[in-house]
Amino acid sequence: MTLRQTLAFLLFDWLQVQTLCERPRFAEHSREQFEAMLDAAERSAREQVAPANRACDTEEPHLDAQGRVQLPVSTAAALQAYRDSGLLAATADAEWGGLQLPCAVAMAANAFYSRASVGVAGYGLLTSGNAHLVLAHGTPRQREAFARLCLEGRWFGTMCLSEPAVGSSLGDLTTRARPDGADFEADPLGPRYRLKGSKTWISGADHELAENIVHLVLAKVVGPDGTLPPGSAGVSLFIVPKFRVEDGRRNGVTLAGLNHKLGWRGTVNGLLNFGEADDCLGYRVGAEGQGLACMFHMMNEARIGVGLGAALLAYAGFETSLAYAKERTQGRPVGRREGPMVPIAQHPDVRRMLLAQKAIAEGALALCLYCARLVDAEDAESQELLALLTPIAKSWPSQWGLESNSLAIQVLGGAGYTRDWPLEQYWRDQRLNMIHEGTHGIQALDLLLRKTSRPQALGLLAARINATVEAALQTPELAEAANQLAAALALVGKATKTAWASGDPAQAALQATPYLQAFGHVVIAWIWLDLGLRDTDPGRAAARQYFFAYELPLVAAWLTPVLARQRLLADVNADTL
């Protein structure tokens, strides 16, 4: 089954997105229009973006003699194809040039571009997320001056969080913002500040692909005594354009150098210095000290976007290895010494690896689309559930997508390890997704320390899982899996209480990563079971059976140290290692 067919099943048979057309916001759309959008995206990604993927990887970004970032010519052409698709503004209101598409449909269309080249797709992910944040938290003038041009694709966007000496500990950042003059609050673009500091690991940091680059920068406003406010409560958010809006002059944003990455080479990544000559103007978004609250609008969108990219890298690897396994002849079935060699897809271990890839790739894709469907729902319960699932949507596809791509290489054997096939690039691109938008460990802390502290969200998820279990119990071929999922859910519930038994977040944090892994597997098992209620496709049935037979039993092993309140991670001394 093709990706296009899989998306159609997930969107229309499972998520029922066509029913959204009954709502006023989507009333001008229809299933036929959604299908046409998917067809156009598939064709554009295949014909205009996929051919650029290898060049994006082999022709790594570099600086010319004038210090300008140079990228393959094919990158600009591929990005123009993406601009032309309209997906940058797919979910935005019509007044902003948007298509007012449901988020789930837009994400499905973006899936084709993520499969074609995550390096190219990264620019769109950042730019649309940047614009959506400004639309949500910016002033009317900021929306007009910055968001509109990003949605049109004339300007691109970034997010600038990490600093060289701080990393992900954003409460400790040192980038400073000083009010620019006595009338700083009167600027039409928003309260005006002069920024000074450095940001690193900035995707899309600098390039010649757009007329301007809109940087969203986290910084702290300097107090009257010259000190910075402590902790994350002192962080504010600023719009810092590469070129100033009022006169087009270059703002005080300097590219200090490029980061040379294992994968995702198509998306330029660098270190930015702000205000080296006290010449960097930025405009505050939202209230002072509310920077992180505003930035999470973009961060959470990006986390699901990273999960989608991870799912599609896994899917691309699966497609390649499946086609190879069907054609490559090698060996004979066990017990037979004579006769022609058979396709390796007939060997049990190759079938295991193919099933594992399908279960991972399609399960991850379904999870991301489910989260997008929660965005479209807009009710309070759906948003509560979305918040709970966001760390899973980022971390699970990233971790298991890497395993899927590793299995794809293994199916091809030595051939998979060469650059003659795309699998080694998929694996390298995939490896970054475990770091992008918060590492695996950060997602684990978010899930256990913050999200599970809201019993309502856990109750909502448990109710949905139990509803699927009850329905599956009425279907003979799904009943055993339903009981298995019910037992795993109960174990996660017990582990949640155990991890928090002391009431001490520091003690709970010791159990965060294995808890995240178990939680994620239960969520994916639920999705596979729910899909089974609506589908008779033999390939998906086999992938579901694989997940319940080989993957879901891992939950008990991961939760063993959690239930034992294992203290090794607190007691071990790194100096002895």
Side-chain angles (χ1 to χ4, degrees):
M1 184 171 289
T2 66
L3 174 60
R4 176 67 179 83
Q5 292 168 323
T6 298
L7 288 170
F9 163 72
L10 293 174
L11 287 177
F12 305 119
D13 297 331
W14 183 46
L15 296 175
Q16 298 284 304
V17 297
Q18 63 273 23
T19 62
L20 290 171
C21 298
E22 300 169 4
R23 287 168 42 184
R25 177 174 176 75
F26 308 117
E28 294 186 5
H29 293 293
S30 64
R31 173 170 178 168
E32 290 72 26
Q33 289 176 318
F34 295 157
E35 298 266 19
M37 172 63 75
L38 296 180
D39 290 338
E42 179 187 31
R43 183 169 55 254
S44 168
R46 180 183 66 249
E47 297 176 357
Q48 298 174 284
V49 177
N53 193 46
R54 180 56 86 178
C56 286
D57 183 64
T58 57
E59 300 176 38
E60 193 171 359
H62 66 278
L63 300 178
D64 65 14
Q66 288 73 44
R68 295 173 302 190
V69 175
Q70 297 298 304
L71 295 162
V73 174
S74 55
T75 300
L79 277 167
Q80 187 58 51
Y82 186 76
R83 286 186 179 103
D84 293 343
S85 73
L87 287 175
L88 278 172
T91 61
D93 291 345
E95 68 174 297
W96 298 107
L99 303 178
Q100 291 191 188
L101 282 178
C103 184
V105 176
M107 180 169 284
N110 272 299
F112 293 110
Y113 292 95
S114 292
R115 180 182 63 170
S117 176
V118 292
V120 170
Y123 295 98
L125 171 70
L126 289 163
T127 300
S128 59
N130 183 303
H132 294 158
L133 184 152
V134 175
L135 287 178
H137 297 286
T139 65
R141 177 66 180 130
Q142 288 172 343
R143 295 170 193 159
E144 190 66 41
F146 300 106
R148 182 180 293 280
L149 294 173
C150 283
L151 292 173
E152 291 176 358
R154 291 174 54 190
W155 294 3
F156 279 4
T158 75
M159 55 194 304
C160 300
L161 287 71
S162 298
E163 297 181 359
V166 172
S168 299
S169 183
L170 298 179
D172 296 312
L173 61 80
T174 60
T175 299
R176 308 163 69 87
R178 173 171 50 83
D180 183 42
D183 64 341
F184 78 100
E185 292 185 309
D187 195 296
L189 289 173
R192 186 183 65 249
Y193 294 76
R194 290 187 179 266
L195 275 70
K196 189 175 185 62
S198 297
K199 297 289 183 178
T200 193
W201 309 120
I202 307 306
S203 294
D206 194 36
H207 50 72
E208 307 298 318
L209 296 168
E211 299 171 16
N212 203 352
I213 302 175
V214 180
H215 302 291
L216 288 176
V217 183
L218 291 180
K220 291 185 175 182
V221 177
V222 179
D225 59 355
T227 63
L228 298 179
S232 59
V235 177
S236 299
L237 178 63
F238 302 88
I239 297 174
V240 181
K242 177 180 177 179
F243 296 103
R244 296 178 182 174
V245 173
E246 60 274 22
D247 54 19
R249 289 190 300 122
R250 182 68 187 257
N251 204 1
V253 184
T254 306
L255 178 66
L258 297 177
N259 295 311
H260 300 284
K261 302 174 293 180
L262 177 73
W264 272 73
R265 292 173 178 170
T267 304
V268 61
N269 189 283
L271 169 67
L272 292 176
N273 288 336
F274 297 87
E276 290 182 309
D278 197 28
D279 56 350
C280 179
L281 295 182
Y283 308 94
R284 198 183 72 222
V285 180
E288 186 175 323
Q290 293 299 305
L292 277 180
C294 294
M295 184 59 89
F296 265 110
H297 189 284
M298 184 175 181
M299 289 168 64
N300 286 332
E301 182 174 327
R303 285 172 175 175
I304 299 174
V306 167
L308 178 72
L312 270 301
L313 280 169
Y315 201 102
F318 167 62
E319 288 180 313
T320 301
S321 62
L322 176 62
Y324 182 92
K326 289 179 177 180
E327 295 179 0
R328 166 68 170 174
T329 58
Q330 181 176 312
R332 297 163 184 82
V334 174
R336 201 179 85 191
R337 298 183 178 181
E338 299 179 352
M341 292 191 294
V342 299
I344 62 173
Q346 294 187 23
H347 299 317
D349 197 54
V350 173
R351 290 177 174 174
R352 176 190 65 83
M353 292 187 284
L354 293 172
L355 278 171
Q357 290 179 72
K358 185 176 179 69
I360 292 168
E362 294 192 16
L365 177 58
L367 170 62
C368 292
L369 290 177
Y370 183 83
C371 288
R373 185 64 177 82
L374 291 174
V375 174
D376 292 325
E378 293 185 340
D379 61 278
E381 287 191 358
S382 294
Q383 301 317 300
E384 190 85 19
L385 189 56
L386 175 64
L388 176 65
L389 291 177
T390 295
I392 306 299
K394 189 277 172 184
S395 65
W396 199 94
S398 301
Q399 179 184 17
W400 294 97
L402 185 69
E403 173 64 15
S404 182
N405 289 127
S406 181
L407 291 172
I409 291 174
Q410 190 72 16
V411 169
L412 271 68
Y417 198 65
T418 69
R419 288 191 293 273
D420 298 327
W421 294 84
L423 298 176
E424 59 86 25
Q425 182 185 347
Y426 295 156
W427 189 94
R428 287 186 289 104
D429 286 341
Q430 188 72 274
R431 187 58 187 83
L432 184 56
N433 288 324
M434 292 180 70
I435 302 172
H436 259 159
E437 303 310 323
T439 63
H440 200 55
I442 287 175
Q443 305 305 321
L445 292 173
D446 181 36
L447 177 67
L448 185 56
L449 300 191
R450 286 183 283 274
K451 302 302 171 57
T452 64
S453 65
R454 299 174 65 88
Q456 180 184 359
L458 285 173
L460 289 170
L461 178 61
R464 297 201 182 194
I465 293 176
N466 285 326
T468 298
V469 167
E470 290 299 318
L473 287 172
Q474 310 307 312
T475 307
E477 62 268 26
L478 299 177
E480 181 179 349
N483 284 321
Q484 199 178 343
L485 176 57
L489 177 63
L491 200 59
V492 167
K494 182 179 179 182
T496 306
K497 295 178 182 178
T498 302
W500 278 105
S502 68
D504 181 2
Q507 295 299 312
L510 299 174
Q511 319 303 336
T513 297
Y515 179 86
L516 172 76
Q517 292 174 175
F519 199 107
H521 258 46
V522 168
V523 168
I524 297 297
W526 162 53
I527 284 176
W528 270 115
L529 188 61
D530 205 60
L531 292 174
L533 291 171
R534 295 160 175 80
D535 187 33
T536 58
D537 176 75
R540 277 193 288 268
R544 180 189 69 247
Q545 292 163 10
Y546 168 85
F547 197 87
F548 277 84
Y550 289 84
E551 296 293 337
L552 192 57
L554 297 174
V555 168
W558 284 323
L559 292 181
T560 295
V562 179
L563 293 169
R565 297 177 66 186
Q566 174 60 251
R567 288 192 47 82
L568 174 64
L569 302 183
D571 298 337
V572 69
N573 186 337
D575 292 335
T576 67
L577 299 179

